[in-house]
Amino acid sequence: MAACRRVHSILLSVSLCICVYLVQAGKTQNGGNGNVDNIVSPQNQGALPAAANAVPGAVAAQPRRSTGWKLAEEEACREDLLRLCPNKHSWSNNLAVLECLQDHKEDTELAPDCNHLLWNYKLNLTTDPKFESVALEVCKSTITELKECAQEEKGKGYLVSCLVDHRSNISEHHCSQYITKMTSIIFSDYRLICGFMDKCREDINTLHCGSINTGDKDVHSQGEVIACLEKGLVTEAEEQAGRVAIKDECKKAIMRVAELSSDDFHLDRHLYFACRDDRERFCENTAAGEGRVYKCLFNHKFEDGMSEKCRDSLSTRQKLIVQDYKVSYSLAKACRADLRKNRCTQDTNMPRAREAKLSYLLLCLESVLHRGRAVSGDCQGEMLDYRRMLMEDYSLSPEVVLHCRAEIDAHCGLHHKARTLHCLMRVVRADKTPVDSLCHKALQSLVQEADPGTDYRIDRALNEACESVIQTACKHIRNGDPMVLSCLMEHLYTEKMVEDCEVRLLELQYFISRDWKLDPLLYRKCQNDAARICHTHGWNETSESMPLGAVFSCLYRHAYRTEEQGRRLSRDCRTEVQRILHQRALDVKLDPELQRRCMTDLGKWCSERTEAGQELVCLQDHLDDVSPDCKDVVGNLTELESEDIQIDALLIRACEPVIQSHCHDVADNQIETGELMECLVLNKHQKEMNEKCTVGVTHFQLIQMKDFRFSYKFKMACKEDVLKLCPNIKRKVDVVICLSSTVRNDTLQDVREQRVSVRCRRQLKVEELEMSEDIRLEPELFDSCKNDIRRLCQNVPYGNAQVIECLKENKKQLSQRCHQKVFKLQETEMTDPELDFQLMRICKQMIRRFCAEADAKNMLQCLIQNKNGELMDPKCKQMITKRQITQNTDYRLNPVLRKACKADIPKFCQNILNKAKDDNELEGQVISCLKLKYADQRLSTDCEEQIRVVLQESALDYRLDPQLQVQCTEEITQLCAEEVAAQEQTGQVEECLKSNLLKIKHDGCKKEVLNILKESKADIFVDPVLHTACALDIKHQCASIPPGKGRQMSCLMEALQDKRVRLQPECKKRLQDRIDMWSYAAKAAPAEGFSDLAGEVLSSPAKNYLLSMLGMSVTLLFLMGLLCGRITKRVTQQLKDR
């Protein structure tokens, strides 16, 4: 230790040893002439008292001299001594008398003469330069052990200064007692501290801390002057630049005084007197020494019983510790070895003042801990105490006081127990009023220094607010563990969370989220990844190229990379990154990048969306409206959510019941593949699904429509196909339409190799099915039908495709634009029944039972074939019928018939096609046309097969014949009400219309009924009533005759005419009725041309008879022609002969 450096800062006790030296000198004088009493008499200012009184115990081996000068015997202090120090046993010890009178000076004033006497006594004790030689004798063994002190230059007071500096290491009792007693005298008056007055004279006057020349009225203690200077020193750091500053030389002297008084609070005279009563109240059982009383008082600083004067003195002391950690005896002692081992005081880039700051010590040692290195338990305990102290009282951070003064005055006022600090945090987080950037930075630095993320108890306000939550929700975690904060975040916005804890937690997390290093779990697991990938530095180091807020963004960009993309995070780090993402999703303000880029948009679009987690939802809803920067960051976050929906913690909580019931395997084994969201969508209408979960899942589906990248599985399956087939398209719905159109065209054209990959086609089917569940997931359809939905389906829920079904059922009342979109949707669904959400949902079990092996595109046909089975579910049967009715309204809605009749339709029904409009139903006109040609037996084989199916189904249920419904609406209501009400679907309504043919007045209806009669001639299966009545007769009489082309009907007619055959009475009656009907039909609707006539004959049950008669007629005419020709020829010849 350099002597010159100590002269300015530690010389305050250099004169102490002089008294011991003079004790020895006094013995010699007393032994020679007995003159010692005159050395320190009030009249002899230069003399000193006897050594036995000056240093009790230091020379205890020598007999006391009764002739020594006694302070108690002086008349000037006799009255004060009797009043204040009644214990006469201590009067023989001058130092005991001095200490007693000094310690009562706050309670009462001493007589002026006594004050003056005490001052001269103390001055004489501290001014003789020969005093050092006695210290050599009293502390001989100690000096030998302390080599640093043994090497000090003698005769200049440096030895005593060195002993004071190392007094904590002095084990020799006499030496320790000597140093302690002398120090207590010195600290009672700043003028007794050697060199202090010279160094601080100018600052004392400038700060008006007292007078250097006290004149006649000399007070015996000037400890208030030191307190004033200390207050000036701590205030200087809190003031704006340009204010009067204390000189560096005086600053060092002040800090050294504070440091030397750090072990015993008696040495800080101002604090001692200010806190004497409080010490008795709060720290009665705390022994003095090693800073224990200071720490005890610090811990009770904000107790209600603490006096303001003591609290103020304690704050000043704490502020000195903030400026120089060595002012805390316990901290300096506990951490000395760790500071040296980790070179926390050897930073060549930092000035010494910076290294001495408490913040530097804390940051350095916290960095050591975060790197996984060892720091002694005692040092960690001291660090914890002082980190808690910083969080508890904002005024201990001069930067916060300096830069946040306006915010404190405007919003917070002065509170204790961290209330003001949390108020400032709340103001910054609320972002409603402008906050000085320097204030924000000061708060961020304070949070880093205190590092409450490692131990929530450091934040007293948080600890008190969240105690009940921790005891219930986080009781399985050890107190002080970093996981407690994470546990609290996991229970944010749950029933276990209380409002005060929620507020405090979010205020703290706002700052922790802005520096990835402040989350100890994240830093521990990711520090190597961050250094490798993001080029970060140490825990307490920063980099301009990689700001703190950008590090986490770098980490999460690499967290979801595939192995092919390279540079992935380690598994442990990726887990922590996911945990942080889950927590940040709870509040948009916990994502600094999102808040920074979207600040304006949040105010513009989301000012009223203040519920938990709603701000991000709002930004996603307005994704097309926000600024490009905001859109980019919201898009990236949404893309991550699509891969790992657990990032949306609020949604996962809401969906917990359905996850446990239907998706627990996916949730437990999910490896960022989007499986969980797909499972939630598929089970969106299960009974366990609550409203919050349904709304959340639907919202995410709607957001996915805005960009195909927001659907992770779709993106991964189809990204190459999109780049190749649908470039420059971003909206998911447009991409789906593009790809599905490509698939459809390739299918219709029977291309050898589909352009869309198998993997993409498979996922495309999933996406289309999800879109069909809610009309809002198909933006074009929804926009086109908004008004129709409001008018016709106002109270219908959107889910389960119910609105779409409502529009289908009311399609005759839809607007033209909506009608066209619904028709296109139905066309797509009929092409691929798997996209028909209602059909697939209602008939799910029936599909498994009857059509498990059927091709997806033939699913509806399979269900139709099994519709009338005994095991068919009634609801499914009803849905199948609805789809059949839809199919029969337009051949384009029946892809199987459309393909089979591809050549027949333009051949026979071109006139209908010419009048048709795109995207509008033809109301069954083309199918009716084909039915007539079926009756005429002019269709191709494939087309005839499909029309037979249509005829058979529509014969059983009149609703499947759209033209009959359109033309016979009134007749069905008036003439066949009972049959309609029966809903037996056995052809009774058609039979009713046939029976009442003569009563039908409307030509259109009559024509349709006549067409039915005509069609029934071609195939008995088209006439279900007749077929049922004649089933046994067909089996017995016509078993060998194949159905179709009127063959079985002709067989029955021949059997009817054959008197040898006995038909069933019901069959005979029905056949006779049919003959009468056909006769009437022939009269009511005669053939309009030769082709119709030929068709009538060919389709007639008496075709053979008619053809034979026609043949006979032709033969007869031929023979008559030949005969008439011969006669004519003979007559002509006779005429010529004439």
Side-chain angles (χ1 to χ4, degrees):
M1 186 183 299
C4 59
R5 187 170 64 226
R6 199 178 306 284
V7 169
H8 299 294
S9 62
I10 317 177
L11 207 54
L12 50 120
S13 300
V14 71
S15 301
L16 297 179
C17 296
I18 298 174
C19 66
V20 179
Y21 167 76
L22 291 180
V23 167
Q24 302 298 329
K27 289 179 186 178
T28 305
Q29 293 170 0
N30 293 339
N33 53 26
N35 242 0
V36 73
D37 288 341
N38 296 327
I39 295 176
V40 289
S41 65
Q43 290 78 21
N44 189 350
Q45 298 294 319
L48 287 174
N53 287 331
V55 190
V59 286
Q62 302 178 13
R64 292 177 180 265
R65 292 183 177 271
S66 60
T67 56
W69 178 82
K70 298 293 189 291
L71 184 59
E73 296 175 358
E74 293 295 325
E75 284 295 329
C77 293
R78 177 62 61 84
E79 185 178 342
D80 293 311
L81 193 62
L82 289 170
R83 179 166 53 88
L84 301 175
C85 308
N87 184 9
K88 295 185 178 183
H89 294 291
S90 62
W91 286 11
S92 61
N93 190 322
N94 286 344
L95 285 181
V97 173
L98 175 62
E99 188 174 0
C100 176
L101 292 174
Q102 279 189 153
D103 289 352
H104 285 85
K105 75 103 179 175
E106 286 288 313
D107 299 329
T108 180
E109 289 190 6
L110 302 179
D113 289 342
C114 185
N115 258 331
H116 192 68
L117 176 67
L118 293 176
W119 158 253
N120 285 308
Y121 174 66
K122 291 186 291 184
L123 184 63
N124 289 333
L125 280 175
T126 58
T127 53
D128 194 323
K130 298 178 182 179
F131 207 39
E132 187 178 272
S133 61
V134 180
L136 288 168
E137 180 178 340
V138 177
C139 299
K140 182 184 294 185
S141 61
T142 299
I143 294 171
T144 303
E145 294 172 3
L146 299 172
K147 296 180 180 180
E148 189 175 355
C149 296
Q151 295 172 0
E152 293 287 5
E153 186 178 354
K154 304 299 185 293
K156 294 187 178 181
Y158 298 156
L159 175 62
V160 177
S161 180
C162 181
L163 289 171
V164 171
D165 192 36
H166 290 84
R167 66 186 186 279
S168 61
N169 297 322
I170 296 175
S171 58
E172 189 179 359
H173 177 69
H174 292 161
C175 182
S176 176
Q177 190 175 19
Y178 164 70
I179 292 294
T180 301
K181 285 294 183 182
M182 292 304 101
T183 305
S184 66
I185 295 172
I186 294 294
F187 275 83
S188 67
D189 196 316
Y190 77 96
R191 292 170 298 177
L192 301 179
I193 302 173
C194 181
F196 186 88
M197 190 166 65
D198 294 332
K199 295 170 185 175
C200 295
R201 183 190 304 272
E202 186 178 329
D203 296 292
I204 291 171
N205 286 328
T206 303
L207 297 172
H208 306 289
C209 289
S211 173
I212 297 298
N213 301 312
T214 57
D216 297 332
K217 191 176 181 180
D218 191 14
V219 294
H220 91 275
S221 175
Q222 287 286 314
E224 295 293 337
V225 176
I226 296 178
C228 175
L229 288 171
E230 289 175 344
K231 199 152 203 66
L233 180 60
V234 298
T235 304
E236 179 185 318
E238 301 170 356
E239 297 295 333
Q240 296 287 349
R243 299 292 181 91
V244 177
I246 299 175
K247 292 186 299 184
D248 289 341
E249 199 174 48
C250 183
K251 284 182 183 178
K252 293 177 181 178
I254 295 169
M255 296 304 293
R256 186 56 183 165
V257 169
E259 181 183 345
L260 292 172
S261 62
S262 63
D263 66 333
D264 189 348
F265 95 114
H266 291 90
L267 301 183
D268 188 333
R269 305 304 294 174
H270 174 75
L271 187 144
Y272 169 73
F273 289 117
C275 298
R276 188 165 46 186
D277 294 337
D278 298 283
R279 188 268 172 97
E280 295 299 322
R281 186 180 303 113
F282 296 110
C283 309
E284 181 180 4
N285 298 321
T286 304
E290 298 190 350
R292 287 187 289 266
V293 176
Y294 285 126
K295 287 193 67 174
C296 176
L297 291 171
F298 289 160
N299 291 335
H300 293 87
K301 176 179 167 182
F302 292 117
E303 296 290 339
D304 294 335
M306 179 69 71
S307 65
E308 284 298 326
K309 190 173 182 180
C310 179
R311 185 179 289 131
D312 185 60
S313 298
L314 290 172
S315 293
T316 301
R317 185 86 193 176
Q318 289 175 314
K319 291 176 184 178
L320 290 173
I321 295 173
V322 169
Q323 294 201 28
D324 189 341
Y325 72 90
K326 293 191 291 296
V327 175
S328 170
Y329 178 87
S330 57
L331 179 64
K333 179 182 178 182
C335 296
R336 183 179 292 115
D338 294 289
L339 290 170
R340 187 165 48 248
K341 181 176 68 175
N342 295 289
R343 300 185 177 182
C344 290
T345 58
Q346 298 180 12
D347 192 339
T348 57
N349 297 322
M350 293 291 181
R352 289 297 303 166
R354 174 72 174 91
E355 292 177 10
K357 283 185 178 291
L358 176 65
S359 60
Y360 181 73
L361 174 143
L362 292 176
L363 290 174
C364 180
L365 292 180
E366 284 166 11
S367 177
V368 172
L369 288 170
H370 283 294
R371 290 198 299 268
R373 298 179 185 174
V375 173
S376 67
D378 289 343
C379 183
Q380 287 192 52
E382 290 294 326
M383 288 172 61
L384 183 65
D385 289 340
Y386 283 97
R387 285 156 59 193
R388 186 184 291 118
M389 180 185 79
L390 290 174
M391 286 294 292
E392 192 172 64
D393 190 349
Y394 81 97
S395 66
L396 303 184
S397 302
E399 293 84 2
V400 174
V401 176
L402 175 61
H403 300 302
C404 299
R405 184 174 286 116
E407 287 75 13
I408 293 172
D409 293 342
H411 303 285
C412 300
L414 301 178
H415 304 287
H416 301 309
K417 300 182 182 179
R419 299 294 179 184
T420 301
L421 183 60
H422 269 275
C423 174
L424 286 172
M425 290 178 171
R426 183 166 61 253
V427 171
V428 172
R429 179 177 175 274
D431 204 24
K432 293 181 180 179
T433 56
V435 176
D436 191 337
S437 60
L438 293 175
C439 176
H440 194 297
K441 185 177 180 181
L443 290 171
Q444 189 70 47
S445 299
L446 173 58
V447 173
Q448 183 181 8
E449 293 163 12
D451 198 13
T454 57
D455 190 337
Y456 71 95
R457 296 172 298 179
I458 291 171
D459 189 340
R460 182 170 177 175
L462 177 69
N463 188 17
E464 292 177 354
C466 297
E467 185 176 2
S468 61
V469 183
I470 294 170
Q471 293 301 320
T472 54
C474 311
K475 60 183 178 181
H476 60 287
I477 304 174
R478 177 178 56 84
N479 275 344
D481 193 285
M483 280 301 296
V484 173
L485 268 185
S486 184
C487 173
L488 289 174
M489 286 300 295
E490 289 173 6
H491 288 87
L492 195 64
Y493 305 128
T494 64
E495 294 179 355
K496 293 184 178 180
M497 180 59 64
V498 296
E499 184 178 359
D500 196 26
C501 177
E502 179 182 299
V503 172
R504 298 286 174 263
L505 182 62
L506 287 174
E507 288 165 358
L508 178 62
Q509 284 290 347
Y510 176 87
F511 288 89
I512 291 178
S513 66
R514 272 143 183 81
D515 186 349
W516 74 287
K517 297 178 298 186
L518 297 184
D519 189 304
L521 301 174
L522 175 68
Y523 184 79
R524 188 185 309 152
K525 300 294 186 182
C526 293
Q527 55 181 319
N528 294 329
D529 295 273
R532 174 173 56 89
I533 297 173
C534 309
H535 311 292
T536 58
H537 300 279
W539 188 84
N540 60 339
E541 299 174 10
T542 57
S543 169
E544 293 183 359
S545 61
M546 183 59 70
L548 295 175
V551 176
F552 185 75
S553 298
C554 168
L555 289 174
Y556 84 63
R557 280 198 304 272
H558 289 82
Y560 292 90
R561 286 194 170 192
T562 60
E563 292 184 3
E564 293 79 10
Q565 293 172 316
R567 297 230 295 176
R568 300 185 73 195
L569 300 182
S570 63
R571 177 175 296 179
D572 288 344
C573 180
R574 187 166 68 250
T575 301
E576 290 304 314
V577 169
Q578 289 173 335
R579 175 180 64 83
I580 298 297
L581 286 172
H582 297 171
Q583 293 177 3
R584 289 188 174 187
L586 297 172
D587 193 314
V588 71
K589 292 174 183 175
L590 297 181
D591 190 328
E593 187 73 6
L594 179 66
Q595 189 185 27
R596 181 178 64 82
R597 292 200 191 183
C598 299
M599 187 180 299
T600 304
D601 296 292
L602 282 167
K604 183 177 181 180
W605 303 107
C606 310
S607 57
E608 297 181 358
R609 302 280 288 275
T610 58
E611 301 90 348
Q614 288 302 304
E615 289 178 316
L616 178 58
V617 171
C618 173
L619 289 173
Q620 290 173 330
D621 289 341
H622 291 89
L623 191 62
D624 296 330
D625 305 317
V626 298
S627 63
D629 276 353
C630 181
K631 185 174 184 178
D632 184 52
V633 70
V634 174
N636 289 337
L637 186 57
T638 307
E639 193 172 351
L640 284 179
E641 281 188 353
S642 73
E643 184 172 356
D644 181 9
I645 193 59
Q646 295 193 55
I647 289 175
D648 192 343
L650 292 176
L651 176 62
I652 294 302
R653 287 177 192 169
C655 297
E656 187 66 25
V658 74
I659 290 174
Q660 291 299 322
S661 300
H662 303 282
C663 309
H664 62 277
D665 293 337
V666 177
D668 294 341
N669 301 322
Q670 188 185 23
I671 311 177
E672 305 95 35
T673 59
E675 296 282 355
L676 182 55
M677 175 50 75
E678 188 172 294
C679 178
L680 288 174
V681 170
L682 292 176
N683 292 280
K684 194 166 73 169
H685 302 286
Q686 297 290 347
K687 61 181 181 180
E688 294 86 359
M689 182 70 72
N690 55 59
E691 184 180 359
K692 284 186 177 181
C693 183
T694 302
V695 170
V697 173
T698 302
H699 166 263
F700 198 79
Q701 288 181 281
L702 293 172
I703 296 304
Q704 287 180 327
M705 293 297 106
K706 301 190 177 191
D707 194 321
F708 81 95
R709 296 179 298 122
F710 297 165
S711 299
Y712 176 74
K713 295 191 72 175
F714 183 51
K715 176 186 70 175
M716 298 306 293
C718 297
K719 57 184 177 182
E720 294 181 1
D721 300 271
V722 173
L723 290 173
K724 181 175 65 175
L725 301 170
C726 312
N728 305 320
I729 299 178
K730 288 191 67 176
R731 286 205 320 161
K732 178 181 174 182
V733 63
D734 295 332
V735 172
V736 170
I737 291 173
C738 170
L739 292 175
S740 60
S741 298
T742 304
V743 172
R744 181 184 172 205
N745 292 335
D746 288 350
T747 302
L748 292 176
Q749 294 171 15
D750 292 326
V751 297
R752 182 176 300 177
E753 186 175 349
Q754 291 267 1
R755 287 174 288 174
V756 179
S757 65
V758 175
R759 183 185 178 194
C760 182
R761 290 203 304 271
R762 192 180 299 118
Q763 188 60 35
L764 184 63
K765 187 68 64 63
V766 174
E767 301 299 330
E768 289 179 312
L769 182 60
E770 287 183 10
M771 289 169 59
S772 68
E773 184 269 338
D774 192 326
I775 192 172
R776 293 171 296 179
L777 302 179
E778 299 195 45
E780 288 189 8
L781 175 63
F782 183 59
D783 292 341
S784 300
C785 297
K786 271 184 179 178
N787 295 331
D788 300 274
I789 293 171
R790 196 177 299 114
R791 180 168 51 89
L792 301 170
C793 312
Q794 186 174 7
N795 298 320
V796 178
Y798 283 103
N800 270 340
Q802 293 179 80
V803 170
I804 294 177
E805 197 65 25
C806 172
L807 293 174
K808 290 176 182 177
E809 291 173 357
N810 294 279
K811 64 182 179 181
K812 291 183 179 180
Q813 303 176 49
L814 298 180
S815 62
Q816 180 66 19
R817 186 182 173 201
C818 179
H819 196 139
Q820 291 176 349
K821 295 294 182 183
V822 172
F823 179 81
K824 291 296 291 183
L825 174 66
Q826 289 179 312
E827 190 175 2
T828 303
E829 289 177 348
M830 293 301 177
T831 303
D832 188 351
E834 281 190 319
L835 303 182
D836 189 337
F837 189 89
Q838 280 277 32
L839 176 69
M840 299 302 291
R841 183 181 71 85
I842 294 174
C843 296
K844 186 176 182 179
Q845 297 300 326
M846 297 300 103
I847 291 172
R848 290 178 180 174
R849 174 173 294 169
F850 297 112
C851 310
E853 298 180 1
D855 183 73
K857 296 189 181 301
N858 296 323
M859 194 71 67
L860 181 59
Q861 297 302 117
C862 172
L863 289 172
I864 290 173
Q865 291 171 7
N866 293 278
K867 184 179 77 168
N868 296 317
E870 293 181 0
L871 299 177
M872 177 58 68
D873 177 62
K875 290 183 178 179
C876 180
K877 183 176 182 179
Q878 187 178 5
M879 179 56 64
I880 295 169
T881 301
K882 280 186 178 181
R883 295 301 178 257
Q884 285 183 285
I885 294 171
T886 300
Q887 276 192 330
N888 290 348
T889 59
D890 197 301
Y891 76 98
R892 289 169 293 183
L893 301 180
N894 191 333
V896 179
L897 183 144
R898 184 179 185 178
K899 184 178 181 180
C901 300
K902 188 176 181 180
D904 299 87
I905 291 173
K907 180 179 178 181
F908 299 113
C909 312
Q910 187 62 48
N911 60 326
I912 299 174
L913 297 179
N914 293 337
K915 299 176 184 178
K917 296 180 180 179
D918 291 339
D919 304 330
N920 274 303
E921 292 91 337
L922 296 172
E923 297 299 342
Q925 294 180 62
V926 171
I927 294 178
S928 293
C929 168
L930 292 173
K931 286 179 182 178
L932 291 175
K933 300 309 172 186
Y934 173 82
D936 294 340
Q937 302 178 11
R938 297 170 65 182
L939 298 178
S940 63
T941 305
D942 290 342
C943 185
E944 186 178 88
E945 184 70 24
Q946 292 302 316
I947 291 297
R948 181 186 299 114
V949 173
V950 173
L951 285 169
Q952 289 173 356
E953 293 292 335
S954 59
L956 291 169
D957 190 344
Y958 75 98
R959 295 173 298 172
L960 301 184
D961 190 336
Q963 280 295 307
L964 181 67
Q965 279 208 89
V966 170
Q967 301 295 340
C968 299
T969 303
E970 293 183 7
E971 285 77 4
I972 291 173
T973 304
Q974 294 173 2
L975 301 174
C976 309
E978 292 184 7
E979 288 79 359
V980 172
Q983 295 184 350
E984 293 180 356
Q985 298 179 12
T986 55
Q988 293 302 318
V989 174
E990 289 86 343
E991 189 66 21
C992 170
L993 290 173
K994 292 174 187 176
S995 301
N996 291 282
L997 182 60
L998 296 176
K999 298 179 181 179
I1000 297 175
K1001 306 299 181 183
H1002 185 257
D1003 292 339
C1005 180
K1006 183 179 291 186
K1007 183 178 179 181
E1008 288 301 319
V1009 176
L1010 292 174
N1011 287 338
I1012 291 174
L1013 288 171
K1014 181 179 179 182
E1015 293 156 7
S1016 65
K1017 291 181 182 180
D1019 197 332
I1020 193 171
F1021 287 98
V1022 177
D1023 192 336
V1025 174
L1026 180 62
H1027 182 265
T1028 302
C1030 299
L1032 288 176
D1033 296 295
I1034 293 172
K1035 184 177 181 180
H1036 293 146
Q1037 306 298 329
C1038 312
S1040 60
I1041 299 175
K1045 296 186 178 181
R1047 288 187 286 263
Q1048 289 187 342
M1049 184 67 77
S1050 298
C1051 173
L1052 287 174
M1053 295 302 294
E1054 290 176 0
L1056 178 64
Q1057 295 173 2
D1058 190 346
K1059 295 184 179 180
R1060 294 172 299 175
V1061 178
R1062 297 186 61 182
L1063 299 176
Q1064 295 292 322
E1066 183 66 19
C1067 178
K1068 189 173 183 179
K1069 179 178 179 299
R1070 293 291 180 186
L1071 282 172
Q1072 194 60 53
D1073 290 342
R1074 294 298 182 267
I1075 293 172
D1076 295 339
M1077 291 179 186
W1078 292 331
S1079 299
Y1080 177 78
K1083 296 177 184 177
E1088 297 178 357
F1090 181 77
S1091 60
D1092 287 344
L1093 179 62
E1096 289 285 347
V1097 172
L1098 291 173
S1099 62
S1100 172
K1103 176 180 66 175
N1104 295 333
Y1105 172 75
L1106 292 174
L1107 289 176
S1108 61
M1109 292 301 294
L1110 180 62
M1112 289 176 62
S1113 300
V1114 171
T1115 303
L1116 181 61
L1117 287 173
F1118 178 73
L1119 292 173
M1120 289 178 63
L1122 288 176
L1123 180 60
C1124 292
R1126 282 188 167 281
I1127 293 172
T1128 304
K1129 184 176 180 181
R1130 192 176 296 136
V1131 171
T1132 304
Q1133 188 64 40
Q1134 289 176 355
L1135 289 174
K1136 286 181 178 180
D1137 291 342
R1138 285 181 186 176

